[in-house]
Amino acid sequence: MITSMATKNHDPLALPLTHLKGVGTQLAAKLERLSLYTVSDLLFHLPRCYQDRTRTYAIAELVPGMFATIEAEVVKQQLVLGKRRRLEIELADRSGYLYMSLFHFSTPLRQHLPTGTRLRCFGEVSFFANRLQMVHPEYEKMTAPTPETVVQTLTPVYPSTEGISQKTWHNLMAQALKLVNDSLLMDYLPATASSGYTLVDALNYCHHPPQNADLALLEAGSHPAQQRLSLEELLAHHLSLRLAKQQIKTLVAPVLQCDPAILEKFYQHLPFTPTQAQLRVLQEIFADFKLGIPMLRLLQGDVGSGKTLVAAGSMLAAISQGYQTALMVPTELLATQHGLTLARYFSVLSINIVVLHSRMPAKQKQAVYQQIKTGDAQVVIGTHALIQEAVEFQQLGLVIIDEQHRFGVKQRLQLQAKSAQAVGYAHQLIMTATPIPRTLAMTFYADLDYSVLDELPPHRKPITTVALANSRRNDIIAKVREFIASKQQAYWICTLIDESELLTSQAAIATYDLLQTQLPEFKIGLVHGQLKTIEKQAIMDAFKSGELHLLVATTVIEVGVDVPNASLMIIENAERLGLAQLHQLRGRVGRGTQASHCILMYRAPLSWHAKARLDILRKTCDGFKIAEHDLKLRGSGEFLGTRQSGELNFKVLQLTRDHGLMARVTELAEQLLKDHPEFIAPLIARWLKEKVQYSAV
Ligand code: ADP
Ligand code: MG
């Protein structure tokens, strides 16, 4: 038939949902709320759970909590008056009794179900007043006593939205499945990776599992048919990132090379000797700079591993060739601090560094803009303010993002876009202290090259960490007193009590007041998000110079802050924070040569998860180990930052559940690139709506 030939020829998965019968503008709008636009979106909208309607149960077999079909006869009807009027219909089969309770019913209905009526009911079994019942089950009258069941497969239950019934889902899925079953859908996953299921097999299985399917496996999402879909989706994402990387390598970037004399001078005047890891990573970066194509490199280094030095060294290559560098950081505090650090590192090189943030006085801001525009500013350090339209560079050659997990890819691209096409694309160095487990990085940062600072500066001592309940507050205060008396400094961190920065600041103020009365002999400072930049900076300076003994702070100091003499940190409400954030915070201590300590205060009782998190922190200071644990505990959200939460939208894949699949993806991608490069574009198109180009654009 001509029509079916026509459907065979183009991919039914790409058809809009309005192609299906019954999908008008109203339903289409509702489906859009769930981000479902095409037949493939619909088919990848997998059931949330399944109900077994394939067999009929004897009442005696029922257990509360199960969903089941029974066939029974009406024995009695009773109207129960009381707070909530209900109709109780007593049903019986040969094995026992069950009550069907209806809260909504009409008189005709009562007449419709006289004693002796045979019913087939499906519903959730519960136990009430010492007997089995089903509340508002689905039911139908059985006209002939044929115990034959109609349903042959498990019944899927779909995640839904208001106004779409399960019946509608079933209807739509049936149409969509028919479309793919009637077409010759290509399979792009190599047979070795598909666990014996073609794409079409897998879809049919997930939407209509056979009667004997392993329900527990299915509902956990770990059935081979589901895993096969997850794997294909993972592969599609990975491949799209690799394509993006190939694409960026076709662009032109300035050739940057560091004047050896300048580099030598730089190394000689540093306050310390660079670690082998720092030197190695700098060589990796310098090698990229020579190629004339844009570098796009992720630098991972645990908190305190000395990433700032690597950033500084890279800047020298740009400066040597007359290009500007932009360094974007998440907080004003960090921008100012980096300004000071770099001025120190570059002290003998007379390099002009400017700092820009949005809360600067307008006049000062204008002056900074001007310096950036003329090229006088060789290094520009700033917050999000850097991506404002008013910021124009004379010749931007290098973009460095510090603490990248705090930024979206979009912001990075906006900054990158400030490099003029005429001189080529700016190189990009993306730094992160949130260690990303290796497999995760290889899968989801496949568009980036990758360097690791795997060595901490010498003489660091591990941070001893303990977890103590709030009730031990007095002991903790005593510990702080003893500690400060021995000439060391401490942080007292008040964590976010809810989403509001204002409330958190208020809590910090209260803690500050309290600590001042409890530790009157010491100088205590306070920083929180509500303070002006200069105020914050003045307090940070006072803390850094040793004038203040104790700094009460909110998590504004989470990233980057560097005060080596501070070696004790108290974190309140530690149970509320994620592992990566706690690790970051704790990384503010342990930066000097003295032994450091961290006290995680919590409110008892701890949930299982919170306890597991605190235990991991007590046991290790190694960010990569912590990351691996975190991945196991709760997936990858925090490591991928916005990359997972906002920018990667998965249809089937759930990283918490499916991260085990990542180990195979790189290899599969290689295989496909080698054997079937022609599959790659359609595979990506099948899973990703817009071609994701995280790196390029
Ligand atoms: P990161 O940004 O990776 O967390 P920083 O660049 O802030 O780390 O460096 C952390 C601390 O280590 C700083 O006090 C810095 O001066 C110091 N540091 C960096 N590199 C070295 C080194 N090679 N030897 C000794 N100290 C170093
Ligand atoms: Mg840093």
Side-chain angles (χ1 to χ4, degrees):
M1 253 172 38
I2 296 164
T3 45
S4 79
M5 282 303 291
T7 36
K8 267 181 197 176
N9 281 339
H10 66 255
D11 189 353
L13 288 177
L15 289 171
L17 285 175
T18 43
H19 182 86
L20 302 181
K21 245 187 255 145
V23 185
T25 42
Q26 270 189 6
L27 183 52
K30 285 178 193 156
L31 291 164
E32 275 178 27
R33 266 193 262 150
L34 298 168
S35 302
L36 307 179
Y37 304 90
T38 62
V39 169
S40 72
D41 295 339
L42 183 72
L43 286 173
F44 295 141
H45 186 70
L46 296 186
R48 177 166 56 80
C49 59
Y50 300 87
Q51 295 169 340
D52 187 357
R53 302 187 182 207
T54 59
R55 59 167 287 204
T56 305
Y57 285 81
I59 290 176
E61 289 178 286
L62 299 178
V63 185
M66 71 195 277
F67 283 85
T69 305
I70 56 160
E71 287 172 0
E73 215 174 273
V74 175
V75 184
K76 198 165 84 188
Q77 262 197 32
Q78 191 188 353
L79 192 63
V80 184
L81 299 169
K83 234 193 199 159
R84 273 189 85 189
R85 218 164 63 103
R86 69 173 194 273
L87 182 64
E88 247 182 32
I89 298 172
E90 191 177 342
L91 301 174
D93 67 6
R94 271 184 227 154
S95 73
Y97 293 90
L98 178 138
Y99 289 81
M100 163 166 146
S101 299
L102 303 177
F103 292 96
H104 311 283
F105 54 90
S106 56
T107 318
L109 178 99
R110 296 184 61 183
Q111 288 156 359
H112 185 66
L113 298 174
T115 305
T117 315
R118 282 186 59 79
L119 294 178
R120 179 184 287 126
C121 304
F122 175 83
E124 187 177 6
V125 181
S126 55
F127 208 61
F128 176 73
N130 226 6
R131 57 198 195 189
L132 290 171
Q133 73 163 357
M134 283 186 184
V135 178
H136 279 282
E138 296 169 29
Y139 64 87
E140 58 183 347
K141 268 195 195 178
M142 297 167 66
T143 32
T146 43
E148 207 162 292
T149 44
V150 257
V151 193
Q152 300 297 329
T153 58
L154 298 178
T155 307
V157 180
Y158 292 94
S160 193
T161 181
E162 208 181 318
I164 308 182
S165 68
Q166 289 300 320
K167 210 164 154 188
T168 306
W169 286 115
H170 293 164
N171 168 11
L172 296 179
M173 291 299 176
Q175 292 187 58
L177 281 172
K178 181 157 183 345
L179 278 174
V180 293
N181 287 335
D182 288 351
S183 69
L184 301 166
L185 210 56
M186 268 304 283
D187 236 49
Y188 301 125
L189 209 58
T192 47
S194 58
S195 328
Y197 291 88
T198 64
L199 177 67
V200 175
D201 291 344
L203 287 171
N204 279 299
Y205 196 98
C206 293
H207 290 289
H208 290 296
Q211 198 169 353
N212 60 0
D214 184 334
L215 249 181
L217 211 57
L218 272 171
E219 294 193 343
S222 31
H223 190 279
Q226 293 161 315
Q227 291 284 292
R228 183 233 179 271
L229 294 176
S230 295
L231 183 63
E232 185 171 327
E233 182 167 29
L234 199 58
L235 183 63
H237 275 274
H238 176 69
L239 284 166
S240 85
L241 292 169
R242 287 176 76 138
L243 283 195
K245 181 169 179 176
Q246 281 178 11
Q247 225 158 38
I248 197 168
K249 298 293 175 201
T250 64
L251 302 172
V252 177
V255 173
L256 304 181
Q257 208 154 3
C258 196
D259 180 339
I262 294 183
L263 196 61
E264 197 44 44
K265 207 166 164 191
F266 168 67
Y267 284 147
Q268 269 172 12
H269 288 86
L270 282 174
F272 43 72
T273 316
T275 62
Q276 284 309 310
Q278 285 168 324
L279 292 173
R280 192 198 66 236
V281 171
L282 269 171
Q283 285 316 316
E284 290 168 2
I285 293 169
F286 290 155
D288 283 352
F289 282 170
K290 287 188 193 144
L291 300 175
I293 52 179
M295 173 182 83
L296 188 51
R297 188 170 280 280
L298 180 69
L299 169 57
Q300 279 204 63
D302 209 344
V303 262
S305 59
K307 292 184 290 297
T308 320
L309 176 73
V310 175
S314 322
M315 290 174 185
L316 288 180
I319 295 166
S320 290
Q321 306 297 318
Y323 286 93
Q324 293 168 289
T325 299
L327 168 59
M328 187 156 73
V329 300
T331 63
E332 292 165 21
L333 216 54
L334 197 49
T336 323
Q337 187 191 276
H338 272 341
L340 296 171
T341 306
L342 289 176
R344 196 156 48 96
Y345 287 177
F346 292 153
S347 58
V348 288
L349 298 172
S350 64
I351 288 168
N352 185 27
I353 304 168
V354 298
V355 174
L356 179 73
H357 55 77
S358 48
R359 295 210 292 181
M360 259 160 109
K363 220 172 178 180
Q364 199 182 342
K365 219 190 259 175
Q366 287 306 328
V368 172
Y369 287 163
Q370 196 55 30
Q371 288 197 53
I372 301 175
K373 195 167 173 180
T374 57
D376 284 351
Q378 291 162 294
V379 174
V380 184
I381 307 171
T383 57
H384 295 78
L386 283 181
I387 55 182
Q388 299 306 310
E389 215 166 302
V391 181
E392 276 178 64
F393 286 84
Q394 206 255 337
Q395 257 211 139
L396 181 60
L398 172 63
V399 163
I400 305 178
I401 311 287
D402 197 11
E403 312 291 349
Q404 70 88 31
H405 61 288
R406 294 291 204 89
F407 293 101
V409 174
K410 215 182 197 167
Q411 292 162 325
R412 169 162 68 77
L413 293 176
Q414 279 171 328
L415 183 54
Q416 209 270 350
K418 295 207 177 271
S419 52
Q421 301 273 340
V423 295
Y425 285 80
H427 298 278
Q428 296 178 69
L429 176 64
I430 301 160
M431 308 201 293
T432 178
T434 310
I436 303 161
R438 205 181 124 73
T439 44
L440 200 65
M442 288 186 31
T443 314
F444 289 107
Y445 287 95
D447 50 341
L448 311 181
D449 291 306
Y450 183 68
S451 296
V452 186
L453 277 182
D454 48 8
E455 179 189 351
L456 290 178
H459 314 304
R460 292 276 165 83
K461 299 222 175 70
I463 307 162
T464 328
T465 302
V466 294
L468 295 176
N470 278 344
S471 51
R472 303 274 305 275
R473 201 180 172 95
N474 286 340
D475 297 343
I476 296 169
I477 304 258
K479 169 96 187 163
V480 172
R481 179 174 291 123
E482 180 191 319
F483 200 77
I484 298 178
S486 70
K487 301 230 165 352
Q488 295 180 63
Q489 292 167 280
Y491 292 100
W492 189 293
I493 310 295
C494 305
T495 59
L496 215 58
I497 44 175
D498 63 9
E499 288 307 303
S500 145
E501 200 180 291
L502 185 67
L503 283 180
T504 310
S505 299
Q506 283 167 359
I509 295 168
T511 306
Y512 169 73
D513 291 342
L514 188 66
L515 285 172
Q516 276 194 315
T517 58
Q518 286 170 314
L519 296 166
E521 68 273 41
F522 299 124
K523 288 218 177 92
I524 306 178
L526 169 69
V527 279
H528 56 74
Q530 301 297 304
L531 293 181
K532 290 215 183 73
T533 312
I534 348 178
E535 295 171 327
K536 267 190 244 171
Q537 200 49 54
I539 293 163
M540 287 312 298
D541 289 347
F543 189 57
K544 203 159 182 161
S545 69
E547 220 176 286
L548 293 173
H549 301 113
L550 177 64
L551 183 67
V552 178
T554 60
T555 49
V556 290
I557 65 135
E558 177 184 338
V559 289
V561 170
D562 185 37
V563 181
N565 191 49
S567 46
L568 170 65
M569 176 174 280
I570 322 289
I571 305 177
E572 285 199 65
N573 302 317
E575 80 278 9
R576 295 197 198 156
L577 301 188
L579 267 177
Q581 200 183 1
L582 285 168
H583 177 63
Q584 276 281 333
L585 270 173
R586 182 174 61 173
R588 299 307 116 219
V589 295
R591 300 188 151 236
T593 44
Q594 71 280 36
S596 293
H597 308 275
C598 178
I599 300 177
L600 304 168
M601 279 173 80
Y602 63 86
R603 188 197 313 220
L606 282 177
S607 71
W608 180 86
H609 255 93
K611 180 164 185 328
R613 279 202 300 273
L614 299 188
D615 279 348
I616 291 163
L617 284 166
R618 284 198 299 113
K619 288 194 192 115
T620 179
C621 291
D622 179 334
F624 282 90
K625 282 196 189 129
I626 292 174
E628 295 286 352
H629 279 295
D630 206 8
L631 183 64
K632 278 188 208 123
L633 270 181
R634 36 161 232 124
S636 53
E638 227 169 311
F639 303 109
L640 292 174
T642 47
R643 181 155 282 210
Q644 197 224 331
S645 50
E647 283 149 0
L648 295 181
N649 261 322
F650 300 125
K651 297 172 195 290
V652 177
L653 191 68
Q654 287 176 21
L655 282 176
T656 339
R657 180 188 76 194
D658 301 327
H659 60 84
L661 295 172
M662 284 192 291
R664 300 166 64 191
V665 162
T666 341
E667 196 189 319
L668 262 178
E670 300 289 350
Q671 193 184 336
L672 215 57
L673 283 161
K674 186 162 118 310
D675 300 342
H676 289 289
E678 74 280 12
F679 285 179
I680 291 172
L683 174 63
I684 294 172
R686 177 174 284 176
W687 288 92
L688 280 74
K689 225 164 269 142
E690 298 135 34
K691 245 211 220 134
V692 186
Q693 297 186 341
Y694 291 109
S695 18
V697 182

